[in-house]
Amino acid sequence: MPFSFRRLILGSPLRSERAGHERLPILLALPIFASDALSSVAYATDAILTQLQALQVRQDLYRIALPISIGIIMLIGMVVVSYWQVIFAYPEGGGSYVVARRNLGLRFGLIAASSLLVDYVLTVAVSVADGISQSFSALHQFHNLGEKLEPYRVLICVAIVLLITLANLRGVRESGALFAGPSYGFIVLIFILIAFGVYRHLVEGHPLQSVAMAQDPLAAKPLNLWVLMKGFASGCAALTGIEAVSNGVQAFKKPEARNASLTLGILGCILAVMFIGITYLATVFQIRPSEHDTVVAQIARASFGTQGTLGILFYAVQIFTTLILLLAANTAFAGFPRLASILAEDGFLPRQLAALGDRLAFNNGILVLAALAIGFLVAFKGVSQALLPLYTVGVFIAFTSAQAGMVRKSWALPTKPWLSLGVNFAGALVTLVVLGVVVSGKFWVQRELFGLSWLHEGAWMSLALMWAIYLLFKAIGTHYKHVEDQLAEIPVGFEHTLKHTVIVLVPSRIHRGIITALNYARSISPDAIAVHIAFDPSKEARLREAWEEHGGETTLIILHSPYRTLIDPLMQYLDAADRVRKDDIITVILPEFVPARWWHNFLHNAHGWLLRIRLYYRRDVIITSVRYYLDR
Amino acid sequence: MPFSFRRLILGSPLRSERAGHERLPILLALPIFASDALSSVAYATDAILTQLQALQVRQDLYRIALPISIGIIMLIGMVVVSYWQVIFAYPEGGGSYVVARRNLGLRFGLIAASSLLVDYVLTVAVSVADGISQSFSALHQFHNLGEKLEPYRVLICVAIVLLITLANLRGVRESGALFAGPSYGFIVLIFILIAFGVYRHLVEGHPLQSVAMAQDPLAAKPLNLWVLMKGFASGCAALTGIEAVSNGVQAFKKPEARNASLTLGILGCILAVMFIGITYLATVFQIRPSEHDTVVAQIARASFGTQGTLGILFYAVQIFTTLILLLAANTAFAGFPRLASILAEDGFLPRQLAALGDRLAFNNGILVLAALAIGFLVAFKGVSQALLPLYTVGVFIAFTSAQAGMVRKSWALPTKPWLSLGVNFAGALVTLVVLGVVVSGKFWVQRELFGLSWLHEGAWMSLALMWAIYLLFKAIGTHYKHVEDQLAEIPVGFEHTLKHTVIVLVPSRIHRGIITALNYARSISPDAIAVHIAFDPSKEARLREAWEEHGGETTLIILHSPYRTLIDPLMQYLDAADRVRKDDIITVILPEFVPARWWHNFLHNAHGWLLRIRLYYRRDVIITSVRYYLDR
């Protein structure tokens, strides 16, 4: 079993028939699609607070965070309604790529696709990084274990990505059973947290922790529209993952579109409540954001404490927040390879990305995603808040292009559906404006963020990456088109009367294997020619003698090679043969020698490989390998 | 020009005709063969003094060093006389391998060969390491530059080996012109040094430097036979390189044997005078050996000083000593590949070692030698005195086997040549005894030598290495013999009536390239079969349609592959074909796709290679590749 190690890691191969989708009721579908969207609750409030941290008057922060959140919730509502239209228009599963490509043309389709691919990568990076932050926040209680593990943050992030990769290579399916526990657990716990926190605030009536002013009064900024805008742009991280439902309509039980839209609505409501609740508690408890102690962890600590029966709830919140973040990362491992395979089928990515592996997973896509995500985690030292500015850009490009595609689609209909047209138009416009805000507000990020002083870059990096991917799509598309054009003309009719020129390359000594090759050559063409390339003239006589005895009627041609290379004399001979026998098809027969053990190859000359490579690039010859096997 | 970088480094290829040897007069032949033998003067006295350093009574050292040297000179005389016989017996160039193999049988021939190979490696390592020591000794004068460079000793050694390797890959020939200057310069300078030193000693009458006692009185040893023996064994390093003349008799002008033997005699005399002179001066100047300040350097400094006109002579001695050591290393780069190529021709080393490179050098042998020498230099930190114990063993094994071979040869003659028989017998006996002394005296080296405390090993390492090489010879010899046996029987007569089964592997889409392959297949056998391996049943109908249109009368067989692998279904099909068409010869035609740019390969599936490898190991098929080329 040569592949036994592979089998051990990946499991036995699966038959193609098992690729079919399971159809899920809403109750099991919701947790699958919820993880990506809801997990953003874990970092969106952090993002707003982090962005506004440098405000001159600290109370301003807690005053404007809630209005910003309300604005974002309105945006969520708008996006949800817009995507309802998408679901009904493309019940077979219309991702932004499909919608934009069909309605706005290839260019916008590819733009949407590139932003989605970058987004999937960042989903993995951000979710894993934030999951680690959530765990470290909980581990604070245990002898500062969180801080002790801090130096290994990147290493742990990478290890987790590799584990998720392995699980996906084995073909972890998006099963409702796997997702239900963590998703519902997370939802329930966050609701309990919000209820408890609100109760505690109302009863005790004062912030549980006192808050110091911004560390650096000199860097402090006044509150103005620009700051407000940047805060809003940061909070838009809450919208990541909402579009997932529209990609997976086919995962729902019939009627798919209705069930999917219902799920999306429920999801939007839960998300809105959670996000507003967390942000509200963050302002009343005057939480200070930190990568080492997340907002969720601080609120949970303030609400439940860390001791006694209620303390268990603190740990539960942290565990389930971490779990849902890892599940969100896992969904990207389904989404990225699926989208990449569609793009590969359409000829914009290498074909290999469309090939299903042994376990019915798109192995190549999974590996590419893992490599890119690890790259981001290493470059950004596993700090989720440093990765977020890059993240939101892609989401909104996808939103805008999907909505704009819907507008175009509705507009093209003979009887225009004015309501949905209006909804999608508003959606497209608003998401475009927000995209502008996000890009302009986060194009450059402040120089110093969690000690990553070299990171004076932000959204431009995602844009550059998307642009590069877009160009890659175009280049690959052009190549495949060229190939297509070249392969398309198929000559009609057959030539049954090919004339053969067959050349057998023989070494200085004639043996069994050579005789086999000669027999084969003569069976194709009775006037096959044997060619020997001589380095050492002293061996020539012996070869001629052997040929007398064993060569039969086949002509032996000896080519001298003063520079001791097989290649040049043979090439010259083939050139000559080409000229003399213009209409013939030339077959070069290489008698090859297969030793009994692989290491025996070291004991035999390796000329064969060089020759083979040179012949490979010669258009006019057919290469036939006749092997001779050794038994020991 | 794909090989332009190679050309830049190695130069243009040379024609085989240029391989002929130049024939040299004694005056130009002497320097070539002198470098290896005479260079041992640079370290042999150091070796004796280092070995005796721990003596209890320091004066003992200087009392016994000279008698030991005289003993060694007698040994040199004996070896020279013995090799005279070899030269006359094997004027075509009789290395120890040839002499031992012809007269004592294969076993002893291979033992001699393995010891010679190890010896060549150690010649390079010791010569380069000691050359560095000589240079560093001279650089002492310049602001202690020698000591400052000491940390880079290994690095510099490796760099020099690489430079010599490069020169030899370019095909530096052993030209008299190259060797004459350094060799004669060295000889003249050493003679001047000895004359000056003796004069200074006689005139000034006292040691120029006072000498302290052994550093560690506890480790001090009394003078006994054992110590004497070890000193003698160490000094035998002076004998390395003497056998070179007998390997290269053909380099001399006619009468070769007479000229060669004369050269050997002259060489022996020069060597004897130099060695005794250096040792004498070392004792009267009471030199203390050190890797950082060699005996030659200390004597030259004591004789000439380092200032003024005479001081120039000090530097000249050091420069020429370094040069002759590097030339000695260079001779091994001629000897090792030559011997390796003879062994490869005889079937005891991989054939590749017998292939001449572009520049008529045995490139593979040169690279193997360089790698091994670098290995030794790194392992022994470039300390020549640490490498010497390993060195002498091989030399004496080669001496003994050559002399014993000569005895056997003379004995077999009808009229026994009693004189030469006696000389060779004495030579064999004495070198065997010395070999015993060297092995037993240097089997374990004292634990602490120039700070290399981990080096508590000595001659046993060379013996182990030689044994390993000997086993390798045997294994390779056995393999080639097996191959020979299998290739030897050549079937008589030809089968003109081979029956063909031709299978063309076709992809899911029919294009120009496939049609070419089909045409070729049909021209070999009218009932060629097309086989498609289907991963995706949905594409089957389209393929069948295309086949209707373009496939002509050829049968298309579609094999389903539930696990999405090309290999397994094809193998099963071939197994079945084997059973059904027992007498046929099966040809598998692989239509291949050659993209216009190499990186386009990343955009096309790589299944072909895996399939090719599997087919390569299938005995019953002939593989034919029909390529289809893309232009862009």
Side-chain angles (χ1 to χ4, degrees):
Chain A
M1 280 292 285
F3 295 116
S4 55
F5 179 69
R6 188 186 166 93
R7 289 283 151 269
L8 184 69
I9 302 291
L10 298 182
S12 309
L14 296 175
R15 295 177 70 92
S16 300
E17 293 92 289
R18 291 182 57 182
H21 265 291
E22 27 172 3
R23 294 297 186 127
L24 299 170
I26 293 181
L27 220 61
L28 283 177
L30 178 67
I32 291 179
F33 293 106
S35 62
D36 191 3
L38 297 188
S39 68
S40 55
V41 165
Y43 45 76
T45 304
D46 296 68
I48 300 175
L49 298 185
T50 302
Q51 192 57 248
L52 300 180
Q53 213 173 191
L55 276 179
Q56 224 163 23
V57 185
R58 193 149 192 84
Q59 292 312 319
D60 282 351
L61 194 163
Y62 301 114
R63 205 152 46 76
I64 65 165
L66 208 57
I68 286 176
S69 298
I70 292 168
I72 291 170
I73 284 174
M74 286 165 67
L75 190 60
I76 291 175
M78 188 154 248
V79 169
V80 165
V81 174
S82 301
Y83 268 102
W84 269 340
Q85 316 302 321
V86 176
I87 289 172
F88 283 105
Y90 293 95
E92 73 276 18
S96 302
Y97 166 62
V98 175
V99 177
R101 190 176 170 190
R102 293 227 187 124
N103 299 300
L104 303 176
L106 184 58
R107 181 188 303 263
F108 286 95
L110 293 183
I111 289 174
S114 70
S115 68
L116 278 171
L117 287 185
V118 172
D119 239 48
Y120 280 124
V121 174
L122 286 166
T123 300
V124 175
V126 167
S127 302
V128 169
D130 203 64
I132 294 301
S133 293
Q134 299 290 353
S135 305
F136 282 8
S137 302
L139 291 173
H140 258 312
Q141 312 318 124
F142 295 105
H143 308 285
N144 271 333
L145 194 56
E147 270 168 46
K148 280 173 197 155
L149 286 173
E150 198 58 55
Y152 309 106
R153 176 184 278 268
V154 177
L155 210 68
I156 297 172
C157 286
V158 171
I160 286 173
V161 172
L162 291 178
L163 277 178
I164 298 176
T165 305
L166 192 63
N168 280 279
L169 288 176
R170 284 197 70 119
V172 168
R173 319 247 69 205
E174 291 175 316
S175 71
L178 176 69
F179 280 66
S183 290
Y184 285 121
F186 176 72
I187 295 169
V188 170
L189 280 163
I190 294 291
F191 278 130
I192 293 175
L193 172 63
I194 293 169
F196 230 88
V198 171
Y199 166 80
R200 180 150 291 196
H201 172 62
L202 294 180
V203 170
E204 310 193 356
H206 59 82
L208 289 185
Q209 42 187 21
S210 71
V211 178
M213 288 299 290
Q215 299 95 317
D216 185 358
L218 287 177
K221 293 169 199 154
L223 181 57
N224 56 24
L225 189 65
W226 176 243
V227 170
L228 213 66
M229 220 176 75
K230 291 189 80 162
F232 182 80
S234 300
C236 283
L239 276 87
T240 56
I242 291 185
E243 78 292 352
V245 176
S246 71
N247 292 325
V249 183
Q250 289 299 307
F252 289 86
K253 274 213 162 132
K254 284 187 183 177
E256 294 95 350
R258 217 206 48 164
N259 284 339
S261 60
L262 189 55
T263 305
L264 180 57
I266 296 171
L267 188 59
C269 291
I270 296 175
L271 176 60
V273 173
M274 280 183 173
F275 179 53
I276 197 84
I278 296 286
T279 310
Y280 170 73
L281 290 179
T283 59
V284 300
F285 290 158
Q286 303 202 352
I287 299 293
R288 294 193 51 186
S290 151
E291 188 78 15
H292 312 302
D293 204 4
T294 62
V295 168
V296 171
Q298 291 186 52
I299 292 175
R301 202 182 290 113
S303 304
F304 301 130
T306 57
Q307 309 296 323
T309 324
L310 278 179
I312 293 170
L313 282 172
F314 164 73
Y315 292 109
V317 166
Q318 289 316 106
I319 290 168
F320 276 83
T321 308
T322 304
L323 280 179
I324 202 143
L325 283 161
L326 297 186
L327 285 183
N330 192 57
T331 58
F333 272 91
F336 181 99
R338 201 191 292 130
L339 178 58
S341 81
I342 294 172
L343 287 160
E345 289 278 356
D346 290 355
F348 298 108
L349 278 181
R351 292 270 152 78
Q352 290 90 320
L353 290 168
L356 279 172
D358 288 344
R359 300 282 294 183
L360 294 170
F362 293 107
N363 287 350
N364 296 322
I366 289 170
L367 293 173
V368 170
L369 172 61
L372 291 173
I374 286 174
F376 271 105
L377 281 168
V378 171
F380 287 81
K381 299 185 184 171
V383 176
S384 62
Q385 292 297 325
L387 286 160
L388 274 177
L390 283 72
Y391 190 20
T392 334
V393 180
V395 178
F396 277 88
I397 291 179
F399 282 164
T400 308
S401 45
Q403 303 311 324
M406 287 303 295
V407 171
R408 187 77 178 268
K409 183 186 164 80
S410 302
W411 190 254
L413 290 176
T415 52
K416 300 195 188 346
W418 290 108
L419 180 66
S420 78
L421 195 75
V423 167
N424 285 129
F425 183 75
L429 199 69
V430 171
T431 50
L432 184 65
V433 170
V434 174
L435 175 63
V437 170
V438 169
V439 169
S440 58
K442 318 194 92 188
F443 201 78
W444 305 102
V445 164
Q446 62 253 54
R447 281 171 182 275
E448 188 80 46
L449 191 64
F450 296 118
L452 287 164
S453 59
W454 57 274
L455 264 184
H456 39 121
E457 49 247 315
W460 72 267
M461 279 181 75
S462 332
L463 287 175
L465 189 58
M466 285 168 201
W467 184 245
I469 292 174
Y470 175 77
L471 292 180
L472 184 73
F473 287 159
K474 298 282 276 188
I476 291 174
T478 308
H479 170 73
Y480 282 136
K481 204 180 158 328
H482 285 167
V483 171
E484 187 59 27
D485 292 347
Q486 290 172 80
L487 296 181
E489 320 154 34
I490 300 180
V492 186
F494 283 106
E495 302 172 55
H496 282 285
T497 54
L498 282 177
K499 278 197 294 174
H500 285 282
T501 291
V502 180
I503 294 166
V504 186
L505 205 66
V506 298
S508 60
R509 119 143 236 239
I510 306 304
H511 56 72
R512 283 188 82 92
I514 303 302
I515 301 298
T516 309
L518 276 175
N519 277 335
Y520 185 76
R522 276 184 282 230
S523 75
I524 296 179
S525 162
D527 53 346
I529 297 162
V531 170
H532 171 66
I533 293 154
F535 293 178
D536 187 348
S538 66
K539 288 177 183 165
E540 211 179 298
R542 213 174 56 193
L543 174 61
R544 288 214 183 272
E545 223 169 82
W547 199 257
E548 285 294 310
E549 193 180 340
H550 305 292
E553 285 152 33
T554 306
T555 313
L556 171 69
I557 292 175
I558 296 184
L559 304 173
H560 291 279
S561 175
Y563 296 107
R564 301 165 304 288
T565 157
L566 282 175
I567 292 169
D568 297 347
L570 184 64
M571 292 298 148
Q572 284 156 21
Y573 183 79
L574 289 175
D575 291 344
D578 263 347
R579 279 194 300 275
V580 175
R581 306 204 178 181
K582 267 198 194 67
D583 303 325
D584 281 23
I585 183 148
I586 301 177
T587 302
V588 177
I589 294 185
L590 302 173
E592 284 179 315
F593 200 84
V594 184
R597 303 254 157 71
W598 65 268
W599 54 267
H600 288 168
N601 282 309
F602 293 113
L603 302 176
H604 300 281
N605 283 326
H607 290 307
W609 283 106
L610 285 174
L611 187 68
R612 191 169 257 292
I613 289 166
R614 273 300 286 274
L615 285 174
Y616 183 75
Y617 284 102
R618 232 193 126 90
R619 301 196 165 205
D620 51 352
V621 297
I622 300 220
I623 310 164
T624 293
S625 123
V626 178
R627 279 140 308 124
Y628 178 66
Y629 287 82
L630 297 179
D631 291 313
R632 50 179 187 164
Chain B
M1 279 290 285
F3 295 117
S4 57
F5 179 72
R6 187 188 166 95
R7 290 284 151 268
L8 184 72
I9 302 291
L10 296 183
S12 308
L14 297 175
R15 294 178 68 93
S16 299
E17 294 91 291
R18 291 182 58 183
H21 265 291
E22 29 171 2
R23 293 297 186 127
L24 299 169
I26 293 180
L27 220 60
L28 283 177
L30 178 68
I32 291 181
F33 294 106
S35 63
D36 191 5
L38 298 188
S39 69
S40 55
V41 165
Y43 45 77
T45 306
D46 295 69
I48 300 175
L49 297 185
T50 302
Q51 192 58 248
L52 301 180
Q53 213 172 192
L55 275 179
Q56 223 163 23
V57 186
R58 192 147 193 87
Q59 293 311 323
D60 283 350
L61 193 166
Y62 302 114
R63 205 151 47 75
I64 65 164
L66 208 58
I68 286 177
S69 298
I70 292 169
I72 291 170
I73 284 174
M74 287 166 65
L75 190 60
I76 290 175
M78 188 154 249
V79 168
V80 165
V81 175
S82 300
Y83 268 101
W84 269 340
Q85 317 301 323
V86 175
I87 288 172
F88 284 104
Y90 293 95
E92 73 277 17
S96 301
Y97 166 60
V98 175
V99 177
R101 191 177 170 189
R102 293 228 188 124
N103 300 301
L104 302 175
L106 184 58
R107 180 188 303 263
F108 285 96
L110 293 182
I111 289 173
S114 71
S115 69
L116 278 172
L117 288 184
V118 172
D119 238 47
Y120 281 124
V121 174
L122 287 165
T123 300
V124 176
V126 167
S127 301
V128 169
D130 202 64
I132 294 301
S133 293
Q134 300 290 353
S135 305
F136 283 6
S137 302
L139 291 173
H140 258 310
Q141 312 317 125
F142 296 105
H143 308 285
N144 271 333
L145 195 56
E147 268 167 47
K148 280 174 198 153
L149 286 171
E150 197 57 56
Y152 309 107
R153 176 184 278 268
V154 178
L155 211 67
I156 297 170
C157 287
V158 170
I160 287 173
V161 172
L162 291 178
L163 278 177
I164 299 176
T165 304
L166 192 62
N168 280 279
L169 288 177
R170 282 196 72 116
V172 168
R173 318 246 72 207
E174 291 175 319
S175 72
L178 176 68
F179 280 67
S183 289
Y184 285 120
F186 176 73
I187 294 170
V188 169
L189 278 164
I190 294 290
F191 278 129
I192 293 175
L193 173 62
I194 292 168
F196 231 88
V198 171
Y199 166 79
R200 183 150 288 197
H201 173 62
L202 294 180
V203 170
E204 309 194 356
H206 58 83
L208 289 185
Q209 42 184 20
S210 71
V211 179
M213 287 298 290
Q215 300 95 317
D216 185 357
L218 288 176
K221 293 170 200 154
L223 180 58
N224 55 25
L225 189 66
W226 177 242
V227 171
L228 213 65
M229 220 174 76
K230 292 189 81 162
F232 182 81
S234 299
C236 284
L239 276 87
T240 56
I242 291 184
E243 78 291 354
V245 177
S246 70
N247 293 324
V249 184
Q250 289 298 307
F252 288 87
K253 276 215 160 129
K254 284 187 181 178
E256 295 95 350
R258 217 206 49 165
N259 284 339
S261 60
L262 190 56
T263 306
L264 180 58
I266 296 170
L267 189 59
C269 292
I270 296 174
L271 177 61
V273 173
M274 281 185 172
F275 179 53
I276 198 85
I278 294 287
T279 310
Y280 170 72
L281 289 179
T283 60
V284 297
F285 291 158
Q286 303 203 354
I287 301 292
R288 295 193 50 186
S290 152
E291 189 78 15
H292 313 303
D293 203 5
T294 61
V295 167
V296 171
Q298 290 186 52
I299 292 174
R301 201 182 291 111
S303 304
F304 301 130
T306 58
Q307 309 295 323
T309 326
L310 276 180
I312 294 169
L313 282 172
F314 163 72
Y315 292 110
V317 166
Q318 289 316 107
I319 290 168
F320 277 82
T321 309
T322 304
L323 280 179
I324 202 145
L325 282 162
L326 297 187
L327 285 183
N330 192 57
T331 57
F333 271 90
F336 180 99
R338 200 191 293 131
L339 178 57
S341 81
I342 294 172
L343 286 160
E345 288 277 355
D346 291 355
F348 298 109
L349 278 179
R351 292 269 153 80
Q352 291 90 322
L353 290 169
L356 279 173
D358 288 345
R359 302 281 294 180
L360 294 171
F362 294 107
N363 288 351
N364 296 322
I366 289 170
L367 293 173
V368 170
L369 172 62
L372 292 173
I374 287 174
F376 272 105
L377 280 168
V378 170
F380 287 81
K381 300 184 184 171
V383 176
S384 60
Q385 293 297 325
L387 285 160
L388 275 177
L390 283 70
Y391 191 19
T392 336
V393 180
V395 178
F396 278 88
I397 291 179
F399 284 164
T400 308
S401 44
Q403 303 311 326
M406 288 302 295
V407 171
R408 187 76 176 270
K409 182 185 166 76
S410 303
W411 191 256
L413 292 175
T415 51
K416 303 196 186 344
W418 289 110
L419 180 65
S420 76
L421 195 77
V423 167
N424 285 129
F425 183 75
L429 198 68
V430 170
T431 51
L432 184 66
V433 170
V434 175
L435 176 63
V437 171
V438 169
V439 170
S440 58
K442 317 195 94 189
F443 200 77
W444 305 102
V445 166
Q446 61 253 55
R447 282 172 181 270
E448 190 82 42
L449 191 63
F450 298 117
L452 287 164
S453 61
W454 57 273
L455 263 185
H456 38 122
E457 48 248 314
W460 71 266
M461 278 181 74
S462 333
L463 287 175
L465 189 58
M466 286 168 201
W467 183 244
I469 292 174
Y470 175 77
L471 292 180
L472 184 73
F473 287 159
K474 298 283 276 188
I476 292 174
T478 308
H479 169 72
Y480 282 134
K481 202 176 160 332
H482 285 167
V483 171
E484 189 59 28
D485 292 348
Q486 290 171 81
L487 296 180
E489 319 154 33
I490 301 181
V492 186
F494 283 105
E495 301 173 54
H496 282 284
T497 53
L498 281 177
K499 279 195 294 173
H500 285 284
T501 291
V502 180
I503 295 166
V504 186
L505 206 63
V506 298
S508 61
R509 121 143 235 236
I510 305 304
H511 56 71
R512 285 186 81 91
I514 304 301
I515 302 296
T516 310
L518 276 176
N519 277 336
Y520 186 76
R522 276 183 283 229
S523 76
I524 297 179
S525 162
D527 53 345
I529 298 162
V531 170
H532 170 66
I533 293 154
F535 293 178
D536 186 348
S538 67
K539 289 177 183 165
E540 212 179 298
R542 214 173 57 192
L543 174 63
R544 288 215 183 271
E545 226 167 78
W547 200 257
E548 286 293 310
E549 194 180 339
H550 305 292
E553 285 152 32
T554 306
T555 313
L556 170 68
I557 292 174
I558 296 184
L559 304 172
H560 291 279
S561 175
Y563 296 107
R564 299 165 307 288
T565 158
L566 282 175
I567 292 168
D568 296 347
L570 183 65
M571 293 299 149
Q572 283 157 22
Y573 183 78
L574 290 174
D575 291 343
D578 263 349
R579 278 193 301 273
V580 175
R581 305 203 179 181
K582 267 200 194 65
D583 303 326
D584 282 21
I585 184 148
I586 300 177
T587 303
V588 177
I589 295 186
L590 302 173
E592 284 177 315
F593 200 84
V594 184
R597 303 255 157 70
W598 67 266
W599 55 266
H600 288 169
N601 281 309
F602 292 113
L603 302 176
H604 300 280
N605 282 326
H607 289 307
W609 283 105
L610 284 174
L611 186 67
R612 193 170 255 293
I613 290 166
R614 272 301 286 273
L615 284 174
Y616 183 75
Y617 284 102
R618 235 194 122 90
R619 303 199 163 202
D620 49 352
V621 297
I622 297 216
I623 310 165
T624 293
S625 122
V626 177
R627 278 141 310 124
Y628 178 65
Y629 287 83
L630 298 179
D631 292 312
R632 46 174 194 172

